[in-house]
Amino acid sequence: MATVELRFSALPEHVRTARLVAAAVARRAGVDEAVLDEVRLAVGEACSRAVGLHQSSGISEPVWVTLVEEEKLFSIEVGDEAPRSTPGDDTPGADGGVDVDAEEDEMGLAVISGLVDDVEVTSGENGGSIRMSWPTTPPVTLLP
């Protein structure tokens, strides 16, 4: 299992770099060429969301991206350090969490869900992550 980890300052200009790295690693992992644009777009959306969460809450910690190549699966996890309200807490920002424009956040998650079949979103008081995965095909070896 090969893993690539990327951490970057929460600045919009670094999102493009994360997209390029994700596409290159996905290609090497064996993700179908027809799906690479979806990988790029989904990673860009997830990273932009994380950058926005960091900027709106004044967090100086970096956004992180983990790319993992397994035998038949390629996964990317994009994480942030922005605290969210705990389940059952209806008061916005009650725990000191980020007061994020909920519609914009939902739209970004909807875009990601439309691009990726296998998505898992987690969040809590210590931040959150979006985990996405795609099937891979083993490389074809041509015999002489």
Side-chain angles (χ1 to χ4, degrees):
M1 172 170 64
T3 301
V4 174
E5 293 182 356
L6 174 64
R7 294 186 185 280
F8 62 90
S9 299
L11 298 169
E13 53 266 29
H14 296 309
V15 172
R16 181 173 186 265
T17 302
R19 284 195 324 251
L20 293 171
V21 169
V25 176
R27 178 177 285 121
R28 194 196 79 217
V31 172
D32 191 310
E33 285 288 327
V35 181
L36 290 178
D37 280 340
E38 294 172 7
V39 171
R40 258 188 230 98
L41 290 170
V43 168
E45 192 66 40
C47 288
S48 293
R49 179 178 180 266
V51 166
L53 288 167
H54 276 225
Q55 287 185 337
S56 67
S57 61
I59 295 173
S60 61
E61 296 296 318
V63 170
W64 54 267
V65 181
T66 303
L67 305 101
V68 180
E69 177 187 347
E70 297 179 54
E71 188 174 330
K72 295 182 181 181
L73 190 70
F74 175 68
S75 62
I76 300 175
E77 188 170 6
V78 177
D80 63 75
E81 305 295 325
R84 289 2 167 258
S85 297
T86 55
D89 183 0
D90 294 333
T91 309
D95 64 358
V98 178
D99 186 23
V100 177
D101 181 3
E103 285 184 26
E104 186 176 318
D105 193 43
E106 287 180 25
M107 179 65 81
L109 292 175
V111 168
I112 293 168
S113 295
L115 292 168
V116 185
D117 291 334
D118 186 15
V119 177
E120 180 183 336
V121 180
T122 59
S123 63
E125 59 186 42
N126 296 322
S129 69
I130 299 175
R131 185 180 181 283
M132 307 166 278
S133 61
W134 295 266
T136 60
T137 54
V140 176
T141 304
L142 300 175
L143 298 174

